[in-house]
Amino acid sequence: GMELDTLQLLSAWTWNEDFDLLDAFHDLKDELEEFGFASVGEDTNLILRCASAILTGDSSPDRLIDTNGAKVRESFPSVKNGILGAIDFFRNQLKVANLKCLPFSALLTPLSVFFAEPDGKDVTYSAATHQIIKRWFWKSCFSRRYTSQPKKTTQRDIQAFKNLKVGLKSNLDDIAIDITEDFFTKNVFKISSSTTKTFILMLVNSRPRSLVSGSDVDVDKVLQKYNRGEFHHLFPKSYLSDNYIDDDKINCLANFAIISGADNRKISKKKPSDYRNLCINNADTMQEILE
């Protein structure tokens, strides 16, 4: 007498002796765990949205119930490849280490449509297409367009990706956005907010370097931990507090950087004009680091 959820219903609808959707989901979860995206495999609703987008062109999981069971069975490799391909793009091209780092999990759905192909067939695309996808990502994140009408936004992007994939005119990166001069000073650093996640990814993709030695910061280590303690104030918090600066100014995005723990301990409570003497003593290199 228990009501079945969409996955259970779909599993029963698609089952035969050679295919069990629940088993397929478990196998996919194991593969995602190897990618560092185990949390995607645990989010069955997200996986179902991706599957529905790939198989029906609509991200609503309920649409899968209307799909022929044999088609779901035959097409599941495309679903898996689409999700894995999208995650691989996030990881390698945008340095998104895990789902927690992604500003909007819904971004996975339309991108998985682009990479969905059966086993043995690779998705190839031009440098221009590569740049269009990256512009779509950054504009979507900075504009926070997935916070309002996410279903409509997802549907628009699914169609745009389908057009892009087959070489038709696509408006994928045609997204209005206006980042004002005070964006980084008015927004406060909150580890769970999409704006902060976007800011962190921006820093990570800029290849942060140690203020003291000039060496690259191990961003993989930072992103795997992904907590407030891995991101440090450029103007130390205690120094600003002692000078009666209010918390919103202290904790604005512009006052945060990815600084190694060792550097942060050396900087401690020192004001920048003092800890500047600890920094690498090469003007050109220091300018590169600051940029």
Side-chain angles (χ1 to χ4, degrees):
M2 289 182 63
E3 186 174 343
L4 298 179
D5 62 26
T6 303
L7 178 57
Q8 292 168 328
L9 190 61
L10 189 64
S11 181
W13 180 243
T14 59
W15 187 89
N16 70 11
E17 292 182 355
D18 300 317
F19 182 84
D20 186 325
L21 189 64
L22 290 175
D23 287 344
F25 265 58
H26 287 310
D27 292 342
L28 177 57
K29 180 182 175 182
D30 290 341
E31 288 196 54
L32 290 167
E33 192 167 356
E34 294 177 17
F35 273 71
F37 274 76
S39 53
V40 173
E42 293 163 3
D43 189 344
T44 55
N45 188 259
L46 177 58
I47 297 291
L48 286 170
R49 290 203 304 271
C50 292
S52 185
I54 292 167
L55 297 178
T56 73
D58 188 314
S59 64
S60 175
D62 293 341
R63 286 292 305 276
L64 286 170
I65 304 300
D66 301 325
T67 306
N68 181 278
K71 180 183 177 183
V72 176
R73 288 194 297 271
E74 293 165 5
S75 303
F76 195 79
S78 293
V79 172
K80 183 183 73 172
N81 293 335
I83 294 169
L84 293 176
I87 288 174
D88 188 62
F89 188 92
F90 282 144
R91 287 175 72 242
N92 293 318
Q93 306 303 320
L94 295 159
K95 302 189 186 304
V96 181
N98 50 56
L99 187 63
K100 191 162 53 174
C101 303
L102 193 62
F104 302 98
S105 62
L107 291 165
L108 183 65
T109 303
L111 187 57
S112 67
V113 172
F114 182 79
F115 286 101
E117 288 292 348
D119 287 340
K121 185 176 180 182
D122 295 326
V123 177
T124 58
Y125 51 92
S126 66
T129 295
H130 178 85
Q131 289 304 315
I132 288 172
I133 296 173
K134 290 182 79 171
R135 281 198 296 271
W136 161 79
F137 176 81
W138 289 114
K139 285 184 174 185
S140 293
C141 291
F142 273 107
S143 66
R144 302 178 72 246
R145 54 194 286 269
Y146 270 84
T147 55
S148 63
Q149 297 184 308
K151 181 173 174 56
K152 183 178 179 181
T153 300
T154 303
Q155 199 58 44
R156 178 261 189 200
D157 286 353
I158 288 171
Q159 188 57 53
F161 264 115
K162 289 172 73 173
N163 290 345
L164 183 68
K165 186 172 181 176
V166 297
L168 297 176
K169 183 175 174 57
S170 173
N171 63 343
L172 182 66
D173 61 341
D174 185 13
I175 298 167
I177 179 169
D178 180 25
I179 301 177
T180 57
E181 290 184 1
D182 61 1
F183 180 90
F184 298 99
T185 55
K186 292 295 185 184
N187 282 299
V188 174
F189 190 99
K190 295 178 181 176
I191 197 74
S192 61
S193 79
S194 60
T195 299
T196 298
K197 289 180 180 184
T198 302
F199 170 67
I200 289 170
L201 283 177
M202 186 192 75
L203 293 182
V204 168
N205 279 272
S206 298
R207 194 181 151 198
R209 295 167 63 185
S210 164
L211 291 167
V212 177
S213 68
S215 61
D216 290 349
V217 175
D218 186 351
V219 293
D220 288 339
K221 181 179 176 183
V222 170
L223 292 179
Q224 287 302 329
K225 289 185 178 179
Y226 208 78
N227 57 53
R228 173 68 177 263
E230 296 299 314
F231 307 99
H232 305 294
H233 295 82
L234 280 167
F235 286 73
K237 183 175 182 179
S238 55
Y239 164 70
L240 294 177
S241 295
D242 290 346
N243 284 276
Y244 308 105
I245 305 299
D246 64 69
D247 283 350
D248 282 353
K249 286 187 177 179
I250 292 173
N251 295 316
C252 71
L253 295 181
N255 195 33
F256 277 83
I258 299 177
I259 302 172
S260 68
D263 283 5
N264 193 54
R265 286 189 289 276
K266 288 179 182 178
I267 290 168
S268 186
K269 297 170 60 174
K270 300 177 182 69
K271 57 184 178 180
S273 57
D274 286 344
Y275 78 66
R276 177 66 180 82
N277 296 323
L278 299 171
C279 296
I280 191 166
N281 191 26
N282 181 298
D284 290 340
T285 303
M286 192 60 196
Q287 186 59 36
E288 290 174 7
I289 293 170
L290 291 174
E291 287 175 3

